[in-house]
Amino acid sequence: MRRHVRARIGTLLTTVLLTSFTLIGAGPAQGSTPTADGTVRAEQRAPALPLGIDGGTWQSGHLQGMAIDRSGGFLYFSFTNLLVRTDLNGRPVGSVTGFTGHLGDLDFNPDDGRVYGSLEYKDAPAFYIAIFDGSRITRMNMDAQSTGVVSTVHLREVTEDYTADLDHDGVFAGDTADTADHRYGCSGIDGVAFGPSMERKDRVKLTVAYGIYSHTGRIDNDHQVLLQYDVRAWRKYEKPLLESAPHTSGPVAPEGKFFVHTGNTTYGVQNLEYDAHSGNWIMAVYRGKKPAFPNHSLFVIDGSKAPSWSTVQGQPRSEVGRLLSLLPQGIHDEGTGQYGFRARGQYGLVSLDDGRFYVARAGTVGTGTESRQTGRAELYRWTGQAPDPFTRAVTATTRDS
C-alpha cells in the first residue's frame, strides 16, 4: 500500500497536479537518513498531499484496503469484489469488477508500476496474489477475467495450511472456524505490503499476512503468520484470472515464514504496512476475543530486531519458527507483556514514509438492496502515543477540535 524503500527519492517529488489540492506541509530538511535497504537518502520537505481522498460510493463489499501510486498521482481502493482507481482528488479513473472471490489488502510496487492484492477463493480452495496493471485501468467496470488487466500468482503455502487436516479425520473442514483443522487457524490471506527482508534487510520483498479464524477454544491460533516472497521472478508464474478453472502456478514455498505472538484475532491481519520512516511493520486487525489477551486492534513489529528462532507456542506438535518482536510502545499489558494500540486502519492503511499515513474510513449508506459502500482516505500523523497513535493532520491555519 505504499512505495517501497528503493523508490524513496523519486516518489518524494509531487506532480504539479497536486498543487491545487488541500495541502499539508512538513518540516525542513534534516540531513541524510539510512533506509531499510542500506542506502542513504537525503531528507526533504515532505510533499503536499490532500487531507482526504474520496473513494466513492459503490454497490459492493466493504472497503478492504488502499494503495497509492504517489508519482503517478493515483489511489486504489479495494471493495472486496471491486477495485477502484481514482486520482488524488478522488475522481474515479477506472474500476475492475467481476470478482466472486475476496479481494483484500493492496500495495503498490513502483519497480513494475503495478498493484498487488490478496485474493481468496476459499471454496476452491485457492489463494492468490492478484496483480493489476494500473496503467490499463482507464474506464469503469472493466471485467477482471476478460480485459487482461489482472494476472494471478498462486500461493501454495497458504493453501496447504488452510486445508491442513489437524484432527486426522480425513475430512476437509472448509470455510469454518469451528474446527480443529486449519494450521495456525489459517483462514486464508489478507494483509500485503512491500518492505525489506525480515532477516537480511538486503532486498525488498512482498510480505503476505494470514487471515486467522476467531476461535477461543484453541491454543494454536495465537500468532500472526507472515510470508515473504521476492516477486522479481514472478512473471513466469503469472496467469490470467479464470475463476471457473483455478490454476496453481506459483512458488513452491515462501522465502521466509515468520510468526508474531499477539493472541488470537478475528480474521488476522486485515491491513499490513511497512513504514520506512520508522523501519517498523504495522498490523491492523479486528480485535480478538480471548480474555487472556489484551486484544489490541493495532500491533507494531519492531523492525530493528531480527527474527529469533523460538517455539511457536500452542502447536499440536512441537514446532520451532522465526519469531518477530513487538515494538515496546503503546498500551502495555502486564499479564502477557504485550504492547499494542487501539486504533483504526483495518479498512486501509498507507504509509507515506515521512510520519504521515492515509487511514481509511469505511461506511455504508442506504439499506437493503439500496445499500452502498463508501470509502475515504484521511491523512493522519503518527505520534506513537497510547491508546491511539494517530492524530489527524491539519492545515497551517486549522487545528483539530
Side-chain angles (χ1 to χ4, degrees):
M1 289 180 295
R2 153 209 46 78
R3 67 206 193 290
H4 62 57
V5 291
R6 285 200 288 261
R8 299 307 180 214
I9 296 176
T11 52
L12 286 173
L13 302 176
T14 188
T15 62
V16 176
L17 171 68
L18 300 181
T19 59
S20 62
F21 299 158
T22 305
L23 305 180
I24 178 70
Q30 299 292 326
S32 63
T33 300
T35 62
D37 63 354
T39 61
V40 176
R41 62 173 170 80
E43 290 288 346
Q44 302 180 30
R45 181 181 297 274
L49 287 170
L51 291 175
I53 302 172
D54 189 12
T57 302
W58 313 98
Q59 189 170 27
S60 64
H62 74 74
L63 183 62
Q64 299 282 344
M66 308 183 301
I68 192 168
D69 172 5
R70 197 162 172 181
S71 60
F74 299 102
L75 197 66
Y76 296 83
F77 295 85
S78 164
F79 285 92
T80 311
N81 56 0
L82 167 72
L83 181 98
V84 177
R85 183 190 190 208
T86 75
D87 64 20
L88 296 187
N89 206 30
R91 291 185 290 261
V93 173
S95 67
V96 182
T97 62
F99 297 100
T100 62
H102 179 284
L103 180 64
D105 189 16
L106 305 173
D107 203 358
F108 179 76
N109 182 6
D111 276 356
D112 61 17
R114 300 189 295 174
V115 175
Y116 290 60
S118 59
L119 182 61
E120 299 181 319
Y121 293 92
K122 294 185 180 183
D123 292 339
F127 301 92
Y128 298 102
I129 294 299
I131 305 172
F132 297 86
D133 185 348
S135 65
R136 297 178 60 189
I137 305 174
T138 56
R139 55 185 174 83
M140 304 304 293
N141 300 315
M142 299 180 70
D143 182 72
Q145 297 185 73
S146 64
T147 57
V149 298
V150 185
S151 60
T152 54
V153 174
H154 181 259
L155 301 183
R156 176 176 173 180
E157 185 84 4
V158 182
T159 304
E160 290 181 348
D161 284 343
Y162 174 74
T163 58
D165 181 16
L166 300 184
D167 59 9
H168 306 292
D169 64 357
V171 178
F172 171 52
D175 183 16
T176 176
D178 189 18
T179 176
D181 291 340
H182 308 302
R183 187 174 290 113
Y184 316 116
C186 174
S187 70
I189 55 175
D190 213 329
V192 297
F194 284 96
S197 168
M198 295 291 186
E199 294 180 296
R200 298 176 59 186
K201 310 293 184 186
D202 59 340
R203 285 182 292 160
V204 169
K205 295 183 179 180
L206 176 67
T207 304
V208 182
Y210 279 15
I212 305 289
Y213 285 112
S214 175
H215 191 315
T216 60
R218 296 176 63 161
I219 62 171
D220 60 345
N221 59 355
D222 292 334
H223 293 80
Q224 304 307 316
V225 183
L226 307 178
L227 309 178
Q228 284 205 314
Y229 298 92
D230 187 339
V231 303
R232 292 177 298 176
W234 268 22
R235 295 274 185 179
K236 64 185 178 184
Y237 299 127
E238 292 180 31
K239 301 292 184 183
L241 177 64
L242 184 60
E243 295 185 337
S244 62
H247 72 84
T248 57
S249 176
V252 173
E255 296 184 31
K257 189 171 189 175
F258 306 91
F259 301 87
V260 190
H261 191 252
T262 62
N264 183 231
T265 54
T266 302
Y267 289 113
V269 179
Q270 295 298 298
N271 267 248
L272 178 69
E273 186 70 344
Y274 176 70
D275 175 40
H277 184 71
S278 65
N280 298 325
W281 296 82
I282 300 174
M283 302 183 297
V285 306
Y286 298 141
R287 295 179 60 190
K289 299 176 182 177
K290 289 187 178 181
F293 292 94
N295 296 318
H296 301 304
S297 59
L298 190 141
F299 296 93
V300 181
I301 298 171
D302 190 341
S304 69
K305 293 186 177 180
S308 60
W309 287 97
S310 186
T311 299
V312 183
Q313 299 177 27
Q315 302 311 303
R317 294 183 179 180
S318 180
E319 181 177 345
V320 175
R322 285 168 285 190
L323 269 67
L324 301 170
S325 302
L326 292 174
L327 185 73
Q329 189 178 102
I331 305 168
H332 182 232
D333 179 67
E334 295 290 342
T336 62
Q338 287 184 358
Y339 287 86
F341 297 92
R342 301 287 172 86
R344 293 165 49 209
Q346 297 77 20
Y347 301 109
L349 188 63
V350 174
S351 172
L352 300 175
D353 298 326
D354 58 10
R356 299 179 299 168
F357 290 77
Y358 274 123
V359 181
R361 180 178 296 278
T364 304
V365 296
T367 58
T369 58
E370 299 301 317
S371 177
R372 301 289 188 275
Q373 298 296 317
T374 66
R376 180 176 172 80
E378 297 178 339
L379 196 61
Y380 282 77
R381 290 186 179 276
W382 179 272
T383 69
Q385 299 298 308
D388 187 342
F390 294 115
T391 185
R392 285 294 300 272
V394 295
T395 65
T397 58
T398 305
R399 296 185 179 276
D400 290 332
S401 57

